[in-house]
Structure formats: structure tokens, C-alpha cells
Amino acid sequence: MEEKYTIDEILNAVNEINEVKINTQIKTKKSVDNSDIPKNTLKLIEQAEKSKD
């Protein structure tokens, strides 16, 4: 069976896909070398990040 969609429906679907792509790109975290940071400082940073979310 052939589905027929309006231009508006197609554009809305494309916009939704783009929003998902943008949101997932924002959520990806960069890996950082923390070997030179003291453990206590790392714990404080992690706690601050958790409270920010």
C-alpha cells in the first residue's frame, strides 16, 4: 500500500529528526584526561555537575 503525505507532514518529520540529532549531540560528553587533578577536586566537580542537571 502506498502512503501519501503532505509537504507539511514531511517537513515536520524532518524537523523532528533534526531536533533529535541536535539533542543527542549536546548530550555526548567529551573525554578528558583527569590524571593530573586531585581526587577530592574531581569529586567536587562531579557533585557540582550532578546538582546542575
Side-chain angles (χ1 to χ4, degrees), residues 5-13:
Y5 300 99
T6 65
I7 293 174
D8 286 333
E9 290 174 323
I10 294 170
L11 291 175
N12 286 336

Side-chain angles (χ1 to χ4, degrees), residues 7-48:
I7 293 174
D8 286 333
E9 290 174 323
I10 294 170
L11 291 175
N12 286 336
V14 170
N15 287 335
E16 288 177 15
I17 291 170
N18 285 335
E19 287 178 15
V20 169
K21 285 182 181 179
I22 289 171
N23 289 338
T24 54
Q25 288 175 354
I26 291 172
K27 291 182 181 179
T28 56
K29 294 185 178 183
K30 299 176 185 176
S31 61
V32 179
D33 180 23
N34 295 332
S35 60
D36 59 338
I37 301 173
K39 289 183 181 180
N40 292 338
T41 305
L42 285 176
K43 287 181 184 178
L44 289 172
I45 292 170
E46 290 171 358
Q47 289 174 353

